[in-house]
Amino acid sequence: MPATTKLAARAAKVNNTPNHVVEGQDPVILILNRENGGDGYTFSASGAVMDNDAPDENIYINNLEPESRLGVPLKYGLYILSNAPDALTNEYHLMQDLIQEDRRNREDFRRKLRLGLVQMFTKLKGKVEQVIEGKRKPWKVGRLCITIPSQWTLDFEDQYRSVLAEAFNWNIAEARNRVAFVFEPEGLAAYLLHSKEYKDDDIAQSGPNEHRIVLYLDFGGHSMYWINSKRDNTLSFFAMAPAFGHAGGGEQLADSVLRACEADWNKRSDVALTPKAKAQIMERIKRRRACWGPRSTTAPEQEMFEFNDSQGVGAGTIILTKRVINNCWRRAHDRLLRLIQRKLRGLKAEYNQERGRGTTVRPLVVVAGGSLTNAVLLEKVQKLPVVDASDLGPGLVVNKEGVAHDAVRNAIGAIYAFQKAMTVRQFLNQGAGIALQIKQAGATEWTSHATPVYYCNKEDSAEIHPPCEVSVFARDGVQYICDPFYGQDNVGPGQPIMDMFYTRTFDFLQAMPKAPFRGSYTCDVRFEGDGDEVVMNLGVIMRSDDDEFEVITRNYQVPIYFDYGTRCILPGSRSASLEEVVPDLSRDAD
């Protein structure tokens, strides 16, 4: 998880009508937990939640007191409050103390975590209002566009939204309308594809009707597949697959080195390090970590960490060898690098299938993020075997001098994503197509092609419903995929309806029942409604081909929404899971 959280408050001009705002284009960028906020406002994001002596009104640690108290990054409190699964929290070794404290003193600890988060956002709210008052009268806060780690689920968003509602004095319904979440790599992608700073880079160099697969690596550990194409001289793009991520990066490295310092000190002293002493050590770690790592040419053979807490443990010095620090570096980064290698192999496989059908544009690997200030990590990423292969080409490192700070970049991208949102109907009218895809029972991969069941003709916005009947075997998997531009690229006057290839699509509706028997599977897809009030009517008929000739009929009404970050239409809603919105579909799928 990167060392930053980004929040962009969109100022909105106030009309005379009470409680009515007109969306503006003037964001206030707020950067949490950075030594240098670049072109945003910088705030501490730490809280003294482990300090039993800290009064309730002083849990949040202001960044004006950097070495007075050891703070815990408050964002990790959301993992506790959201009851994150062990598989996720175990990735973050710096969370282990929080987990243990939660087990010891659950009720009071969670109260302090939430209180610290509310205090932090209340301070941010004050800064936003101060900026707007001084520069943008008569405006007020309209929307909050927030970038979040790609591992976060709706439970995290619910907790985050609840905290923001309390800090901004909104009710939950109002907060649902005012808070927009975008995954960090989605914000990065939106920024790079819309910013003039990158218009001459490879990322924007697609020709007319040309498409390219892009893998965004936003360190530490949040990455994404995308595809983009140039249409009417404008880059269009959408997410091919869900964002993924893994713990790693500078924050994990810093915590690992601090723990090594504490272990070394405990071997030589009966007096434990105080929070103030740890805070001073951490400041030294943050200043030095950029040069650490295996085979670093700039790291010294040993590092010295001094502290002085006259009212506690006193003064002291801890020395760690290069070998110990290198082990900390590997603990923070090795699993992340292995995950990236797997994703790069997948990207290469996707390209090889595309190339087999005549596509010549090479995939692009985009590398960004504050953790890449560590020279060893940057070098290892650039030299990953698959990145260096001739058929993928070198990665594009987007940390440019003189261009927006990486945290600001993602926050601005989140605003781009929101400002350039489409309605569901607009998405369909651009030529979107839906197709039925099968995975044979026992197979690990879905078929590479799918049978179209719906598409919208871009020329006249006519909706076409091709007849769809496929043969299935018992326990075959069924899902629906979407090509946003099928009605532009694959359909013309007098042309036959072509199969849809999954390398140009994203998974649209996965929670479908498996085929109950061998026979035929017939389906019909129709969209009703306008703007964002669109429902998909899905009809399914399954007929067995045995002597008993069994027939199963299902009809589902599935609400559809447009997702800001992925630029995809998805089933369900932004604030509730598909299981909650269409329970009968999930029940049948089980």
Side-chain angles (χ1 to χ4, degrees):
M1 185 178 196
T4 58
T5 296
K6 282 76 71 178
L7 179 148
R10 294 187 67 220
K13 196 169 186 178
V14 181
N15 282 352
N16 292 329
T17 307
N19 300 321
H20 179 72
V21 295
V22 179
E23 296 293 355
Q25 308 291 321
D26 206 359
V28 180
I29 307 298
L30 305 173
I31 308 302
L32 307 179
N33 212 30
R34 290 302 296 233
E35 292 79 12
N36 174 15
D39 39 359
Y41 298 96
T42 306
F43 294 85
S44 163
S46 297
V49 294
M50 304 292 288
D51 185 353
N52 294 327
D53 297 327
D56 279 356
E57 65 273 12
N58 199 25
I59 292 177
Y60 173 62
I61 298 178
N62 193 300
N63 57 332
L64 299 178
E65 43 175 344
E67 295 185 2
S68 59
R69 295 187 291 168
L70 179 67
V72 173
L74 286 169
K75 61 191 172 189
Y76 291 113
L78 290 168
Y79 288 78
I80 302 293
L81 296 174
S82 303
N83 298 311
D86 292 344
L88 179 55
T89 58
N90 288 342
E91 293 181 13
Y92 300 92
H93 50 76
L94 53 77
M95 279 196 62
Q96 297 313 305
D97 291 343
L98 299 183
I99 294 171
Q100 292 176 13
E101 184 65 23
D102 185 52
R103 290 170 178 167
R104 284 194 298 264
N105 191 14
R106 179 185 177 93
E107 183 175 347
D108 188 59
F109 184 59
R110 294 193 175 206
R111 180 187 63 82
K112 290 169 67 176
L113 284 172
R114 182 179 175 86
L115 190 55
L117 285 163
V118 171
Q119 289 173 3
M120 178 178 71
F121 284 110
T122 300
K123 181 175 177 61
L124 266 63
K125 175 193 174 190
K127 182 62 179 179
V128 172
E129 292 174 341
Q130 177 186 344
V131 172
I132 293 174
E133 178 71 19
K135 297 181 180 180
R136 298 168 180 142
K137 283 186 177 181
W139 295 39
K140 70 176 184 179
V141 173
R143 290 251 187 176
L144 300 180
C145 302
I146 301 174
T147 56
I148 58 175
S150 54
Q151 298 106 313
W152 285 19
T153 62
L154 288 175
D155 291 334
F156 284 87
E157 293 182 13
D158 288 343
Q159 286 293 333
Y160 208 151
R161 191 182 292 110
S162 172
V163 168
L164 291 169
E166 183 173 345
F168 281 82
N169 298 315
W170 297 333
N171 60 43
I172 291 299
E174 191 176 9
R176 283 198 182 98
N177 292 328
R178 290 194 173 214
V179 178
F181 294 106
V182 174
F183 287 138
E184 288 166 347
E186 297 170 353
L188 171 65
Y191 179 82
L192 296 179
L193 288 167
H194 292 301
S195 171
K196 63 181 181 181
E197 303 290 352
Y198 295 91
K199 63 182 178 61
D200 296 324
D201 287 293
D202 283 350
I203 196 167
Q205 298 308 304
S206 291
N209 298 323
E210 197 172 64
H211 71 276
R212 163 183 272 172
I213 300 172
V214 183
L215 175 63
Y216 290 88
L217 303 176
D218 185 16
F219 286 84
H222 305 100
S223 316
M224 194 169 191
Y225 278 113
W226 288 71
I227 184 171
N228 66 73
S229 55
K230 199 170 232 179
R231 299 165 191 280
D232 302 323
N233 294 318
T234 301
L235 278 172
S236 301
F237 62 97
F238 65 93
M240 291 181 67
F244 61 91
H246 197 284
E251 199 167 70
Q252 293 277 89
L253 172 60
D255 178 79
S256 188
V257 173
L258 178 61
R259 290 174 183 269
C261 287
E262 191 171 9
D264 181 82
W265 176 259
N266 290 339
K267 291 178 183 178
R268 299 183 285 108
S269 175
D270 294 330
V271 182
L273 292 173
T274 60
K276 183 175 181 179
K278 291 181 185 179
Q280 294 171 4
I281 294 171
M282 180 60 79
E283 287 300 309
R284 168 73 176 177
I285 291 172
K286 289 179 178 178
R287 290 195 299 268
R288 295 289 302 157
R289 63 187 173 188
C291 70
W292 294 339
R295 300 184 180 179
S296 170
T297 58
T298 57
E301 290 302 315
Q302 59 184 28
E303 287 279 5
M304 182 181 299
F305 304 93
E306 297 178 329
F307 58 88
N308 187 0
D309 181 4
S310 58
Q311 297 181 347
V313 69
T317 300
I318 297 172
I319 297 176
L320 296 184
T321 65
K322 189 175 183 178
R323 179 182 178 183
V324 171
I325 291 177
N326 285 347
N327 287 337
C328 294
W329 190 98
R330 293 187 181 95
R331 187 182 183 194
H333 296 110
D334 279 0
R335 288 186 178 179
L336 177 61
L337 290 171
R338 287 196 293 270
L339 173 63
I340 291 170
Q341 282 184 303
R342 291 199 301 272
K343 295 299 179 180
L344 289 170
R345 293 189 190 102
L347 176 62
K348 185 176 180 180
E350 296 275 2
Y351 172 55
N352 287 337
Q353 293 200 42
E354 282 286 293
R355 186 170 53 180
R357 295 202 305 276
T359 299
T360 57
V361 181
R362 293 189 308 177
L364 181 65
V365 180
V366 174
V367 181
S371 293
L372 294 178
T373 56
N374 182 275
V376 174
L377 178 60
L378 176 59
E379 182 181 11
K380 282 184 174 290
V381 169
Q382 291 178 313
K383 290 185 176 180
L384 283 171
V386 185
V387 179
D388 230 7
S390 59
D391 55 356
L392 287 185
L396 171 64
V397 180
V398 297
N399 289 7
K400 289 186 176 182
E401 292 293 332
V403 180
H405 190 277
D406 66 282
V408 177
R409 205 165 42 211
N410 291 6
I412 294 175
I415 294 175
Y416 284 156
F418 177 77
Q419 288 177 337
K420 296 179 182 297
M422 293 186 284
T423 66
V424 173
R425 184 54 68 180
Q426 286 172 332
F427 182 94
L428 294 172
N429 288 346
Q430 72 181 353
I434 307 294
L436 174 69
Q437 189 179 28
I438 302 296
K439 182 168 70 174
Q440 294 180 351
T444 58
E445 300 290 339
W446 294 84
T447 56
S448 61
H449 57 87
T451 305
V453 298
Y454 165 94
Y455 70 89
C456 184
N457 192 309
K458 173 68 183 300
E459 297 301 322
D460 56 10
S461 297
E463 294 184 286
I464 312 300
H465 306 89
C468 176
E469 182 176 352
V470 299
S471 297
V472 294
F473 290 86
R475 307 304 295 167
D476 277 358
V478 176
Q479 71 171 8
Y480 294 87
I481 60 178
C482 176
D483 178 346
F485 310 114
Y486 179 86
Q488 294 184 41
D489 297 342
N490 296 282
V491 180
Q495 289 185 356
I497 295 175
M498 300 174 60
D499 282 350
M500 191 179 294
F501 287 89
Y502 82 98
T503 49
R504 293 280 303 275
T505 69
F506 63 90
D507 293 338
F508 173 60
L509 181 57
Q510 298 174 282
M512 293 300 299
K514 292 183 178 180
F517 40 61
R518 190 181 73 177
S520 66
Y521 188 104
T522 304
C523 60
D524 181 76
V525 169
R526 297 179 187 265
F527 293 93
E528 293 183 357
D530 293 314
D532 270 329
E533 302 295 324
V534 175
V535 172
M536 181 181 74
N537 292 313
L538 172 61
V540 175
I541 301 175
M542 292 170 282
R543 298 181 177 88
S544 69
D545 60 4
D546 56 22
D547 294 338
E548 297 181 4
F549 192 69
E550 184 177 359
V551 178
I552 298 176
T553 301
R554 294 285 186 269
N555 293 285
Y556 306 103
Q557 286 192 320
V558 185
I560 306 298
Y561 70 98
F562 178 83
D563 184 70
Y564 304 125
T566 62
R567 297 193 63 77
C568 298
I569 55 169
L570 298 172
S573 76
R574 293 188 183 96
S575 58
S577 66
L578 181 61
E579 290 79 5
E580 297 174 82
V581 177
V582 192
D584 54 337
L585 178 60
S586 302
R587 183 175 59 252
D588 291 346
D590 292 338

mmCIF file of all heavy atoms in Angstrom, residues 143-158:
data_model
loop_
_atom_site.group_PDB
_atom_site.id
_atom_site.type_symbol
_atom_site.label_atom_id
_atom_site.label_comp_id
_atom_site.label_asym_id
_atom_site.label_seq_id
_atom_site.Cartn_x
_atom_site.Cartn_y
_atom_site.Cartn_z
ATOM 1 N N ARG A 143 -18.310 17.880 -4.406
ATOM 2 C CA ARG A 143 -18.056 16.441 -4.368
ATOM 3 C C ARG A 143 -16.685 16.161 -3.779
ATOM 4 O O ARG A 143 -15.777 16.986 -3.880
ATOM 5 C CB ARG A 143 -18.091 15.870 -5.783
ATOM 6 C CG ARG A 143 -19.461 15.838 -6.407
ATOM 7 C CD ARG A 143 -19.958 14.432 -6.514
ATOM 8 N NE ARG A 143 -21.199 14.360 -7.254
ATOM 9 C CZ ARG A 143 -21.803 13.233 -7.560
ATOM 10 N NH1 ARG A 143 -21.267 12.096 -7.200
ATOM 11 N NH2 ARG A 143 -22.938 13.220 -8.225
ATOM 12 N N LEU A 144 -16.534 14.991 -3.213
ATOM 13 C CA LEU A 144 -15.233 14.484 -2.802
ATOM 14 C C LEU A 144 -14.883 13.317 -3.715
ATOM 15 O O LEU A 144 -15.604 12.319 -3.763
ATOM 16 C CB LEU A 144 -15.261 14.015 -1.347
ATOM 17 C CG LEU A 144 -15.631 15.058 -0.289
ATOM 18 C CD1 LEU A 144 -15.608 14.418 1.101
ATOM 19 C CD2 LEU A 144 -14.675 16.237 -0.332
ATOM 20 N N CYS A 145 -13.800 13.447 -4.483
ATOM 21 C CA CYS A 145 -13.305 12.367 -5.340
ATOM 22 C C CYS A 145 -12.088 11.759 -4.657
ATOM 23 O O CYS A 145 -11.075 12.436 -4.484
ATOM 24 C CB CYS A 145 -12.937 12.904 -6.721
ATOM 25 S SG CYS A 145 -14.298 13.719 -7.573
ATOM 26 N N ILE A 146 -12.170 10.514 -4.274
ATOM 27 C CA ILE A 146 -11.162 9.908 -3.406
ATOM 28 C C ILE A 146 -10.539 8.696 -4.086
ATOM 29 O O ILE A 146 -11.247 7.815 -4.586
ATOM 30 C CB ILE A 146 -11.795 9.480 -2.071
ATOM 31 C CG1 ILE A 146 -12.408 10.707 -1.384
ATOM 32 C CG2 ILE A 146 -10.766 8.829 -1.167
ATOM 33 C CD1 ILE A 146 -13.169 10.378 -0.134
ATOM 34 N N THR A 147 -9.211 8.656 -4.113
ATOM 35 C CA THR A 147 -8.529 7.468 -4.622
ATOM 36 C C THR A 147 -8.259 6.518 -3.464
ATOM 37 O O THR A 147 -7.850 6.931 -2.377
ATOM 38 C CB THR A 147 -7.206 7.831 -5.314
ATOM 39 O OG1 THR A 147 -6.375 8.556 -4.411
ATOM 40 C CG2 THR A 147 -7.458 8.680 -6.550
ATOM 41 N N ILE A 148 -8.483 5.232 -3.717
ATOM 42 C CA ILE A 148 -8.334 4.219 -2.678
ATOM 43 C C ILE A 148 -7.551 3.029 -3.241
ATOM 44 O O ILE A 148 -7.478 2.841 -4.449
ATOM 45 C CB ILE A 148 -9.706 3.737 -2.157
ATOM 46 C CG1 ILE A 148 -10.554 3.171 -3.300
ATOM 47 C CG2 ILE A 148 -10.442 4.865 -1.446
ATOM 48 C CD1 ILE A 148 -11.877 2.571 -2.856
ATOM 49 N N PRO A 149 -6.943 2.222 -2.365
ATOM 50 C CA PRO A 149 -6.220 1.028 -2.817
ATOM 51 C C PRO A 149 -7.148 0.060 -3.546
ATOM 52 O O PRO A 149 -8.343 -0.047 -3.236
ATOM 53 C CB PRO A 149 -5.703 0.413 -1.512
ATOM 54 C CG PRO A 149 -5.637 1.558 -0.560
ATOM 55 C CD PRO A 149 -6.795 2.443 -0.912
ATOM 56 N N SER A 150 -6.601 -0.659 -4.497
ATOM 57 C CA SER A 150 -7.419 -1.524 -5.335
ATOM 58 C C SER A 150 -7.904 -2.775 -4.613
ATOM 59 O O SER A 150 -8.785 -3.469 -5.119
ATOM 60 C CB SER A 150 -6.642 -1.923 -6.595
ATOM 61 O OG SER A 150 -5.402 -2.496 -6.255
ATOM 62 N N GLN A 151 -7.366 -3.076 -3.420
ATOM 63 C CA GLN A 151 -7.882 -4.232 -2.674
ATOM 64 C C GLN A 151 -9.151 -3.898 -1.900
ATOM 65 O O GLN A 151 -9.820 -4.788 -1.386
ATOM 66 C CB GLN A 151 -6.842 -4.747 -1.664
ATOM 67 C CG GLN A 151 -5.563 -5.238 -2.284
ATOM 68 C CD GLN A 151 -4.454 -4.252 -2.044
ATOM 69 O OE1 GLN A 151 -4.646 -3.052 -2.250
ATOM 70 N NE2 GLN A 151 -3.294 -4.719 -1.609
ATOM 71 N N TRP A 152 -9.485 -2.621 -1.790
ATOM 72 C CA TRP A 152 -10.613 -2.238 -0.941
ATOM 73 C C TRP A 152 -11.945 -2.628 -1.562
ATOM 74 O O TRP A 152 -12.158 -2.483 -2.762
ATOM 75 C CB TRP A 152 -10.570 -0.736 -0.659
ATOM 76 C CG TRP A 152 -9.514 -0.363 0.332
ATOM 77 C CD1 TRP A 152 -8.426 -1.102 0.686
ATOM 78 C CD2 TRP A 152 -9.437 0.844 1.082
ATOM 79 N NE1 TRP A 152 -7.666 -0.426 1.608
ATOM 80 C CE2 TRP A 152 -8.270 0.770 1.874
ATOM 81 C CE3 TRP A 152 -10.227 1.993 1.156
ATOM 82 C CZ2 TRP A 152 -7.878 1.796 2.735
ATOM 83 C CZ3 TRP A 152 -9.846 3.013 2.014
ATOM 84 C CH2 TRP A 152 -8.688 2.909 2.800
ATOM 85 N N THR A 153 -12.858 -3.084 -0.706
ATOM 86 C CA THR A 153 -14.172 -3.537 -1.127
ATOM 87 C C THR A 153 -15.231 -2.511 -0.726
ATOM 88 O O THR A 153 -14.919 -1.450 -0.164
ATOM 89 C CB THR A 153 -14.502 -4.879 -0.464
ATOM 90 O OG1 THR A 153 -14.528 -4.685 0.962
ATOM 91 C CG2 THR A 153 -13.441 -5.929 -0.804
ATOM 92 N N LEU A 154 -16.501 -2.841 -0.989
ATOM 93 C CA LEU A 154 -17.593 -1.946 -0.602
ATOM 94 C C LEU A 154 -17.647 -1.731 0.904
ATOM 95 O O LEU A 154 -18.087 -0.673 1.367
ATOM 96 C CB LEU A 154 -18.929 -2.511 -1.091
ATOM 97 C CG LEU A 154 -19.189 -2.437 -2.603
ATOM 98 C CD1 LEU A 154 -20.482 -3.150 -2.946
ATOM 99 C CD2 LEU A 154 -19.240 -0.994 -3.066
ATOM 100 N N ASP A 155 -17.208 -2.720 1.698
ATOM 101 C CA ASP A 155 -17.189 -2.543 3.153
ATOM 102 C C ASP A 155 -16.250 -1.405 3.547
ATOM 103 O O ASP A 155 -16.557 -0.614 4.458
ATOM 104 C CB ASP A 155 -16.745 -3.841 3.844
ATOM 105 C CG ASP A 155 -17.790 -4.937 3.719
ATOM 106 O OD1 ASP A 155 -18.983 -4.605 3.571
ATOM 107 O OD2 ASP A 155 -17.416 -6.127 3.757
ATOM 108 N N PHE A 156 -15.085 -1.318 2.886
ATOM 109 C CA PHE A 156 -14.169 -0.211 3.140
ATOM 110 C C PHE A 156 -14.820 1.114 2.752
ATOM 111 O O PHE A 156 -14.734 2.104 3.482
ATOM 112 C CB PHE A 156 -12.878 -0.395 2.338
ATOM 113 C CG PHE A 156 -11.938 -1.422 2.888
ATOM 114 C CD1 PHE A 156 -12.062 -2.750 2.543
ATOM 115 C CD2 PHE A 156 -10.915 -1.049 3.748
ATOM 116 C CE1 PHE A 156 -11.181 -3.699 3.043
ATOM 117 C CE2 PHE A 156 -10.031 -1.995 4.251
ATOM 118 C CZ PHE A 156 -10.168 -3.324 3.900
ATOM 119 N N GLU A 157 -15.445 1.133 1.580
ATOM 120 C CA GLU A 157 -16.064 2.368 1.114
ATOM 121 C C GLU A 157 -17.166 2.814 2.069
ATOM 122 O O GLU A 157 -17.329 4.017 2.325
ATOM 123 C CB GLU A 157 -16.623 2.170 -0.295
ATOM 124 C CG GLU A 157 -15.533 1.942 -1.346
ATOM 125 C CD GLU A 157 -16.107 1.792 -2.750
ATOM 126 O OE1 GLU A 157 -17.309 2.108 -2.937
ATOM 127 O OE2 GLU A 157 -15.363 1.370 -3.647
ATOM 128 N N ASP A 158 -17.935 1.873 2.593
ATOM 129 C CA ASP A 158 -18.996 2.228 3.542
ATOM 130 C C ASP A 158 -18.417 2.883 4.789
ATOM 131 O O ASP A 158 -18.949 3.882 5.285
ATOM 132 C CB ASP A 158 -19.793 0.978 3.934
ATOM 133 C CG ASP A 158 -20.687 0.484 2.804
ATOM 134 O OD1 ASP A 158 -20.940 1.260 1.861
ATOM 135 O OD2 ASP A 158 -21.125 -0.681 2.870
#
